[in-house]
Amino acid sequence: MHALLPARGAAGAIAAALRGPDPLGRAVTALAGAIAVDLLVAQCMLAAHRWSAGGGVVVVTGFSLLVLLVALVRGRGAGGRRYD
């Protein structure tokens, strides 16, 4: 159950950053992006011989927070107008 926590965070952040697609398309794209982020982090950690589950959670959580922050800042640009 805890293994899905980073994937849910990354999917939520990616979904918040997407503006255009309908809700189903946004969900599918966010899920695919979250899986890609998780696999990329795992691959990089294994290639560097620095694998740890806790480290992976920290890296994915940091990425998710960064994407969410960018989405929030971008949403406030242009006078706070959002084009959906």
Side-chain angles (χ1 to χ4, degrees), residues 15-36:
L18 295 173
R19 293 183 184 182
D22 60 13
L24 180 60
R26 187 178 299 148
V28 170
T29 305
L31 181 62
I35 291 170

Side-chain angles (χ1 to χ4, degrees), residues 27-54:
V28 170
T29 305
L31 181 62
I35 291 170
V37 167
D38 287 347
L39 291 175
L40 182 63
V41 167
Q43 184 177 5
C44 289
M45 291 178 75
L46 286 171
H49 301 287
R50 299 289 182 208
W51 170 253
S52 74

Side-chain angles (χ1 to χ4, degrees), residues 4-84:
L4 296 178
L5 184 62
R8 288 186 295 183
I14 293 170
L18 295 173
R19 293 183 184 182
D22 60 13
L24 180 60
R26 187 178 299 148
V28 170
T29 305
L31 181 62
I35 291 170
V37 167
D38 287 347
L39 291 175
L40 182 63
V41 167
Q43 184 177 5
C44 289
M45 291 178 75
L46 286 171
H49 301 287
R50 299 289 182 208
W51 170 253
S52 74
V57 170
V58 168
V59 172
V60 172
T61 302
F63 173 80
S64 301
L65 291 175
L66 182 65
V67 170
L68 188 59
L69 179 65
V70 168
L72 290 174
V73 168
R74 188 179 70 174
R76 291 186 185 176
R81 294 178 293 193
R82 292 191 62 157
Y83 300 104
D84 288 328

